[in-house]
């Protein structure tokens, strides 16, 4: 029982690390898009669309990570 709780804590830690990784990718992509906008390679409208699309993707992958984490926690606790 105690070992399962420890494993659940490990799962939660890994889920949080995955969320941070997804947010870091979003930040890097936004920085790159801002650089393109600053260099006039893309318009403000393209920048806005890129931000919205990145946010949608970020939300989707964070939901997926949460779902996988919840499934794994349940799996660990049922053994």
């Amino acid at each position: 029982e105690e070992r399962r709780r420890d494993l659940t804590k490990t799962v939660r830690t890994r889920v949080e690390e995955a969320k941070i990784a997804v947010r870091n990718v979003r930040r890097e992509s936004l920085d790159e898009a801002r650089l393109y906008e600053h260099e006039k390679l893309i318009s403000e409208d393209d920048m806005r669309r890129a931000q919205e699309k990145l946010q949608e993707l970020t939300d989707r992958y964070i939901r997926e990570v949460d779902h996988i984490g919840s499934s794994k926690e349940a799996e660990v606790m049922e053994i």
Side-chain angles (χ1 to χ4, degrees), residues 6-40:
D6 289 342
L7 288 172
T8 301
K9 287 179 187 177
T10 302
V11 169
R12 287 184 189 142
T13 302
R14 297 294 171 117
V15 165
E16 190 58 37
E17 289 171 358
K19 288 180 184 180
I20 291 169
V22 169
R23 289 192 296 263
N24 285 340
V25 169
R26 178 190 60 192
R27 182 176 39 83
E28 292 168 4
S29 298
L30 278 174
D31 289 346
E32 192 171 328
R34 284 188 189 109
L35 180 64
Y36 288 161
E37 182 186 23
H38 182 70
E39 293 176 357
K40 306 291 185 206

Side-chain angles (χ1 to χ4, degrees), residues 8 11-12 15 63-77:
T8 301
V11 169
R12 287 184 189 142
V15 165
R63 274 193 309 273
E64 190 173 325
V65 165
D66 281 336
H67 176 71
I68 292 169
S70 297
S71 300
K72 187 52 85 172
E73 282 181 35
E75 181 183 326
V76 166
M77 291 307 287

